[in-house]
Amino acid sequence: MVRGYPASARFQMLHLLVTKSFAEQHGIKALEDLKAKKAPLRMAVNRRGNLDFRLSEYAMQELGIGLKDIESWGGQIIHAASGEQAKLMANRRIDMINIALSVRHRAIQEAANAVELVAFGLTEAHAKAVAEKVGGQVCPITKKDYEYLVADALSVCQGGLIAAHASLPDEIAYDLAKAVHTQIDKYKAAHRVFQQSITPEKLVESAAAPYHPGALKYYREAGLVK
């Protein structure tokens, strides 16, 4: 593979957001309280079959909560994309957003502008366990990101890869790696999060898949890896 963007860019970071009204009504001061209170939570997760959905599911499992548990408490699981989740939250049709998005994504801002939110992070143990399952990394989420975060904590972030079959010719992988590196300013301009976080060194962060030999050849020539 060739690195697209690193997990540390926080382009895909797990967000666990609950409406303040629901949290206060059911005494939810930490995510673990959802299980203890058996709160009838209406939670939105991404569509079935993609990694975002698995990330959300694994995060709840680390808290000892299965999706069927929520339904048994009188809650509901709603499968929706990010923009849909924000609208559902704004219309008071869900109580929790559980999705991976970039930091301060407009969908989150839209939801926060419509209703008061409480944001939660994960413990180090939970974050590490989830990250291992999805090939992601533990990353920080802080009150500088969201003033309504309960406390500075951890989340799980996923990076982006340009994946290729092992038979891809070395010269093509080499050219892809070179193009991203030598035109990094154009690449960073593609998204505000990239502008803040992508550096040449970040392009060679470790990932769940091994780097293609052609890409490694270029990175070595560019002095990015030994």
Side-chain angles (χ1 to χ4, degrees):
M1 67 95 183
V2 178
R3 168 65 77 185
Y5 56 84
S8 61
R10 298 196 300 168
F11 185 67
Q12 283 184 288
M13 182 173 75
L14 178 65
H15 287 77
L16 301 164
L17 311 171
V18 179
T19 62
K20 186 177 181 181
S21 60
F22 182 88
E24 290 180 344
Q25 179 183 353
H26 296 280
I28 308 301
K29 297 181 179 179
L31 287 173
E32 289 77 5
D33 292 332
L34 291 170
K35 181 179 181 180
K37 306 282 185 177
K38 291 183 168 54
L41 179 71
R42 299 172 300 171
M43 183 176 72
V45 295
N46 213 321
R47 300 189 183 282
R48 295 179 181 87
N50 65 32
L51 188 57
D52 269 1
F53 167 65
R54 290 300 180 196
L55 176 59
S56 298
E57 184 178 37
Y58 293 149
M60 300 308 290
Q61 287 175 355
E62 284 302 315
L63 297 167
I65 302 172
L67 300 187
K68 289 185 178 180
D69 292 331
I70 293 174
E71 293 174 337
S72 74
W73 302 336
Q76 186 179 5
I77 303 300
I78 299 96
H79 294 268
S82 58
E84 295 174 277
Q85 291 195 25
K87 289 179 173 59
L88 289 167
M89 183 73 88
N91 292 328
R92 279 70 171 178
R93 293 174 58 191
I94 58 173
D95 308 303
M96 181 175 179
I97 286 177
N98 181 342
I99 198 169
L101 292 170
S102 59
V103 177
R104 295 181 294 278
H105 190 281
R106 65 175 179 270
I108 295 171
Q109 302 297 86
E110 180 183 341
N113 289 336
V115 296
E116 288 189 87
L117 297 177
V118 180
F120 296 95
L122 297 172
T123 66
E124 183 176 5
H126 288 161
K128 284 183 176 179
V130 175
E132 184 176 350
K133 289 180 180 179
V134 298
Q137 294 180 15
V138 175
C139 55
I141 180 170
T142 72
K143 292 182 75 68
K144 289 184 178 179
D145 301 318
Y146 304 106
E147 61 182 15
Y148 46 84
L149 181 69
V150 171
D152 289 356
L154 298 173
S155 185
V156 177
C157 292
Q158 300 174 87
L161 311 176
I162 302 172
H165 194 276
S167 63
L168 181 76
D170 285 3
E171 58 268 24
I172 295 178
Y174 179 101
D175 288 343
L176 281 170
K178 180 177 180 180
V180 174
H181 179 224
T182 58
Q183 300 185 67
I184 194 168
D185 288 339
K186 292 181 179 179
Y187 189 64
K188 290 170 65 173
H191 195 279
R192 60 174 178 81
V193 173
F194 291 177
Q195 296 169 16
Q196 301 165 6
S197 60
I198 288 185
T199 65
E201 292 73 25
K202 295 290 185 182
L203 294 177
V204 294
E205 275 189 3
S206 60
Y211 283 102
H212 191 286
L216 274 176
K217 179 182 179 182
Y218 174 76
Y219 294 146
R220 290 192 178 101
E221 289 179 3
L224 297 175
V225 298
K226 294 181 180 180

